[in-house]
Amino acid sequence: MENKKTENINGIDVDVEKAQKLIKRVIIKEKRNLSTKEFSNPEMIRRIKKMIEEDVECY
């Protein structure tokens, strides 16, 4: 059995390690987009939401 550190935030169990990895991925994606201007703000929102949904489905 895996030893996962979870915290209960507003009644939701959150895997701390997974949340930190997701935050890091979002920041990197935003930083890259700020310099390249490849995606518009609404497109970046869609992409970030998709990343979050994918991580939640795997959990």
Side-chain angles (χ1 to χ4, degrees), residues 15-29:
D15 183 335
V16 176
E17 184 179 329
K18 198 168 199 174
Q20 288 175 340
K21 286 181 182 179
L22 179 61
I23 290 169
K24 193 180 283 187
R25 285 178 46 213
V26 168
I27 290 170
I28 291 169
K29 187 173 278 294

Side-chain angles (χ1 to χ4, degrees), residues 2-54:
E2 288 185 43
N3 187 13
K4 292 186 178 181
K5 181 170 189 243
T6 59
E7 289 186 22
N8 191 307
I9 300 172
N10 293 332
I12 300 171
D13 288 331
V14 176
D15 183 335
V16 176
E17 184 179 329
K18 198 168 199 174
Q20 288 175 340
K21 286 181 182 179
L22 179 61
I23 290 169
K24 193 180 283 187
R25 285 178 46 213
V26 168
I27 290 170
I28 291 169
K29 187 173 278 294
E30 275 290 341
K31 183 178 178 183
R32 207 175 285 149
N33 190 57
L34 285 173
S35 62
T36 64
K37 307 264 193 248
E38 184 177 356
F39 304 110
S40 66
N41 284 344
E43 179 62 26
M44 279 304 293
I45 292 168
R46 279 192 289 278
R47 289 175 179 271
I48 291 169
K49 282 183 178 180
K50 185 177 178 186
M51 287 171 50
I52 294 169
E53 289 171 357
E54 288 171 354

